[in-house]
Amino acid sequence: MSMVLVPASNTTTARSFAVFLVDAMADALYKLSTRIAEAGQPYEPRTAEELIEWANSYEATQPSYAADLRAAALHAQEIAGGAKYN
């Protein structure tokens, strides 16, 4: 195996490129670790619309729970001032 060494014409450029690569790798590692941490967490709806979607998914098996979810979504929308679901 042969190795070819090419001298950098501008060491500042080479150094800043190395810093860029380290920053990019650190950012990628941070995003990956965040996704891994979030993957183990249970999902919770954040908006009234997401709560309505949850209610629809529970309707067939747990109708009373779905009704409670819809009531909570309606209440949240009334507080926000824009009730969409009656």
Side-chain angles (χ1 to χ4, degrees):
M1 177 175 184
S2 62
M3 184 181 295
V4 177
L5 298 174
V6 178
S9 59
N10 187 349
T11 56
T12 305
T13 304
R15 194 170 290 133
S16 64
F17 182 67
V19 169
F20 167 77
L21 288 177
V22 169
D23 283 345
M25 290 179 60
D27 185 51
L29 182 61
Y30 172 75
K31 288 180 181 178
L32 178 63
S33 64
T34 301
R35 284 188 179 185
I36 289 171
E38 289 175 351
Q41 300 296 322
Y43 172 75
E44 295 180 3
R46 303 267 185 228
T47 65
E49 288 77 18
E50 290 176 351
L51 200 54
I52 293 294
E53 289 175 17
W54 252 31
N56 292 339
S57 70
Y58 282 107
E59 184 65 38
T61 57
Q62 299 176 26
S64 63
Y65 182 56
D68 291 342
L69 292 175
R70 282 193 189 89
L74 178 61
H75 181 69
Q77 286 178 333
E78 287 173 351
I79 290 173
K84 292 182 182 177
Y85 302 98
N86 293 332

